[in-house]
Amino acid sequence: MAHLPDFISDLAIILITAGIITIIFKWLKQPVVLGYIVAGFIAGLHFKKFIESSVIKISGLAPEKVNEVFKTLPEISDMANVSIWAEIGVIFLLFALGLEFSFKKLMDVGGKASIATLINLGSMIIVGYLAGELFIANLVNDWTTMDSIYLGCMLSMSSTTIIIKAFNDMGLQKKKFAGIVFGMLIVEDIAAIIMMVLLTTFAASKHFESGELANSVIKLLFFMLIWFVVGIYMIPTMLKKLKKYLNDETLLIVAIGLCLGMVYFATVVGFSAALGAFIMGSILAETVESKHIEHLIEPLKNLFGAVFFVSVGMMIDPAVIAEYGILVLILTLVVLVGRIMFATVGVLASGEGLKVAIQSGFSLAQIGEFSFIIATLGVSLGVITESLYPIIVAVSVVTTFTTPYCIRWAEPVFNRMEKHIPEKWEKLKLGYTANSYNTVNKQNDWNRLLKSILKLVAIYTAICIAILLVFQNFINPYIVEYVPGSIWGNILAALITLTLMAPFLRAIMMKRNRSEEFKNLWKDNRLNRSALVSLIVFRIILCLALILLVLIPLFPRLTVLMVIISLVVVTLIIFSQGFKAQSRRIEARFLENLNLKQMLDEKKAAILPTVANDLRSKNIHIEEFEISQSSPNIGYSLKELNFRQQTGVNVITIIRGSKKINIPDGNERLYPFDKLVVSGSDEEMQKLAQFLEDKKALISQMEEEAQHHISLSQFIVEPKCSLIGKTIAEANIRERTECMIIGIDRNGESIINVTPNIVFQEEDVIWLAGEKDRLNSFEENISIHIPLKL
């Protein structure tokens, strides 16, 4: 008999256990992630040992006999196998997270979510670190400062999965505070990625130096910028050109290949596999195919993500939990109190009112999947104590259970606090941005010019440095070695490097020098002119420095000559029309790839995202609701449905395919797949969502009760039958019986192409299709004698 590899048997145990437990958790209406953790705990070795020792204590049986019984039970043979599956799970989880993330979405979140997240995140890191140091001094002697740092980072991460699940279950996803919470989660995601890189750096060095920390941050930002710019320039163009070859199968293979390729590249340059997966996901998120890829990758994410969370549960040791039960309780209170308090303060500081701030704070009172990933990172690097992992998992499990209750408690807490707030603090309740109006005034020309120049200089300088590093480390050594003559190889290497850098160097020096802001400032006064000239000179000096970084390593003894040559090169680049055209083409393609998805989304959207964001600050929402094909509202007019009276919302637009009906009147009727664009407050949107959901549930129940199945029957045209000599059209069978003739057997032959002119003959065998009750009453309705049914 062939031996089954442990790799497969371990996976079988994991998935069977996870399947059973998650079904139970679904029945209990608990988060699936929690079910995976419990499944891992049950499948793990710690649980087996715990049960074994408990049976021995309770039954009093000999340990040898109990051990023999438990040896017959299936168990995980090698945790190394589980670690491999779990690492793949982290890669696909981060890749899927990147697909939902996108850098443009981060920019759209705005300053409010960023301010609130930074206050909450920073405060929890400090509190977690101080709690860890306090534990070291009083409760646990084997922890180190690194444990405290990791603890602070783990306590600062909310659970996106748990929050989305809670909002969906409670029907809160349309609320104003839910939008703020989602924005904060987006900022947390990118902060977690940066945090993982820094923690890896700390683990490698075993000590902390400001210079090393700054170097790691700069290196991370540099590589993220390069990957993003190069990825946006190349990948959407590649997918566009290959679109006709990309069915579901090939697109899935290409997407996974790109993901794992970036994972490999990230590890080669010294970053984590998770960072590479996240970056590739965020690049693909800017493509038109992002939703398609997200749909294709979801089964893989669910499968390997489940294995990762199961592996998290396997690390739970009941003995450790019992030993450190006080720590679990204290950390749970720290999470619940600290996250509620700091998130509320952060949202208040961003300008929102007290009610929204409290609701946001209570929603974020848990830790989840990113905390597990950070803990897994610490274990794999060997820098945190083994006892910290099960403790943080236990805290996560407890706070997951408390999340729905915390969300429900938010409004009562606000109502109680509102009664005790003095009138002079009225702005605290409303928020300092509640009554502010954003007007479209002309911004300062200097601000706009400097921002645009700073952005393009940073991007193009990073690209030039990337080209320089690639050539210096990988290409130039081969050119110098294989080109004959000691000087010609250096000259060729310099020419190739500078030629590739030239379009970007020209952009650094010349972009925005003819913009409207530049012209306005130049015409304004002479003082501006000197400042503008100084700005151009600074950019030229920057380009000279970049050129010298190419030339001096190749010609170290000719420094003065290289300075002169670099001046000549700068002059040629400035006046070269070829480099100018090339620079414009590169920028045009990049901007087209970057903005194509957004442009298509805005064409489909009934209202622009910027307008929707402005309205949110005034507690007005614009949302879309689709009318399903089974909706009981189909066929009724807006006057008859009276959404305004029922829920309080106003119907602004009806989108019907490519047609838009703006400001529809009361006589407009609804059809399947119509999209209603409505405006209203949080509460009104919630009423409409509940109204449509109740109707949808009602119609689903009616559809389940009314079952319609098509059956087949066979009937013989016997002698003296009234159908003999009549055509199918004359017999009027379809109208009288609601059955259809799909074939006739005659003289051993089958007539499949049945036409209305066919005349019935004696001994014809008629094949009929219809609902079972209609077929049973066919003889009665058509006066056919003795049908033979199969």
Side-chain angles (χ1 to χ4, degrees), residues 260-558:
L260 296 181
M262 183 61 83
V263 165
Y264 175 73
F265 182 71
T267 53
V268 167
V269 297
F271 294 111
S272 67
L275 175 63
F278 180 82
I279 291 292
M280 181 50 66
S282 64
I283 291 170
L284 290 174
E286 305 299 348
T287 66
V288 179
E289 298 290 340
S290 61
K291 290 295 179 186
H292 193 184
I293 295 171
E294 191 176 337
H295 173 71
L296 293 175
I297 211 77
E298 187 172 6
L300 285 173
K301 179 197 77 172
N302 292 338
L303 171 63
F304 291 109
V307 177
F308 168 71
F309 289 117
V310 169
S311 72
V312 170
M314 288 181 179
M315 299 296 290
I316 300 177
D317 188 347
V320 174
I321 300 298
E323 183 181 353
Y324 296 102
I326 296 176
L327 263 68
V328 173
L329 179 61
I330 294 173
L331 289 176
T332 301
L333 293 174
V334 168
V335 170
L336 292 175
V337 176
R339 292 195 63 84
I340 290 173
M341 182 173 67
F342 294 124
T344 301
V345 171
V347 176
L348 278 174
S350 71
E352 293 295 339
L354 182 61
K355 182 177 182 179
V356 171
I358 290 175
Q359 288 174 319
S360 302
F362 274 77
S363 301
L364 292 164
Q366 76 291 119
I367 57 175
E369 55 273 12
F370 253 122
S371 300
F372 303 149
I373 293 172
I374 292 172
T376 303
L377 177 67
V379 171
S380 64
L381 294 172
V383 294
I384 65 172
T385 310
E386 289 185 3
S387 60
L388 180 57
Y389 199 114
I391 288 172
I392 208 69
V393 173
V395 173
S396 174
V397 170
V398 176
T399 54
T400 297
F401 276 120
T402 59
T403 294
Y405 301 102
C406 286
I407 296 172
R408 290 192 186 99
W409 292 335
E411 198 158 341
V413 169
F414 167 74
N415 293 335
R416 184 166 294 182
M417 289 182 64
E418 188 181 25
K419 297 175 183 177
H420 302 287
I421 296 175
E423 290 185 7
K424 62 180 179 179
W425 289 4
E426 186 69 19
K427 240 178 183 179
L428 180 66
K429 289 193 290 184
L430 300 176
Y432 64 76
T433 61
N435 298 319
S436 62
Y437 294 90
N438 295 322
T439 57
V440 188
N441 293 329
K442 183 180 178 182
Q443 293 183 352
N444 184 278
D445 286 332
W446 267 117
N447 286 339
R448 290 198 290 182
L449 181 65
L450 290 175
K451 282 181 182 178
S452 62
I453 289 177
L454 181 63
K455 188 187 300 181
L456 68 89
V457 166
I459 291 173
Y460 289 125
T461 301
I463 294 173
C464 288
I465 293 173
I467 294 171
L468 175 65
L469 292 174
V470 169
F471 270 80
Q472 282 185 350
N473 292 292
F474 302 105
I475 299 175
N476 287 355
Y478 291 100
I479 295 175
V480 172
E481 182 179 352
Y482 290 106
V483 174
S486 59
I487 192 70
W488 293 109
N490 291 348
I491 293 173
L492 181 61
L495 284 174
I496 296 174
T497 308
L498 291 175
T499 301
L500 290 175
M501 290 172 59
F504 307 108
L505 292 172
R506 192 186 190 284
I508 293 173
M509 293 184 286
M510 304 303 294
K511 279 288 180 185
R512 306 295 295 168
N513 288 349
R514 293 187 179 181
S515 63
E516 288 298 322
E517 295 86 1
F518 191 97
K519 291 176 182 178
N520 292 338
L521 292 167
W522 187 268
K523 293 176 183 177
D524 193 28
N525 58 58
R526 292 183 178 179
L527 186 62
N528 281 348
R529 294 181 185 182
S530 60
L532 291 169
V533 170
S534 300
L535 190 60
I536 295 172
V537 170
F538 167 76
R539 292 156 68 185
I540 292 173
I541 292 173
L542 176 61
C543 291
L544 285 170
L546 291 171
I547 294 170
L548 288 171
L549 286 174
V550 175
L551 296 176
I552 289 178
L554 293 170
F555 309 97
R557 298 180 181 178
L558 303 172

Side-chain angles (χ1 to χ4, degrees), residues 94-95 97-104 190 224 228 232 275-287:
L94 269 293
F95 182 54
L97 187 65
L99 283 169
E100 298 171 1
F101 169 77
S102 90
F103 285 96
K104 286 183 71 66
I190 192 66
M224 288 181 69
F228 179 69
I232 291 297
L275 175 63
F278 180 82
I279 291 292
M280 181 50 66
S282 64
I283 291 170
L284 290 174
E286 305 299 348
T287 66

Side-chain angles (χ1 to χ4, degrees), residues 44 247 317 573 733:
N247 57 16
D317 188 347
I573 290 173
I733 289 176

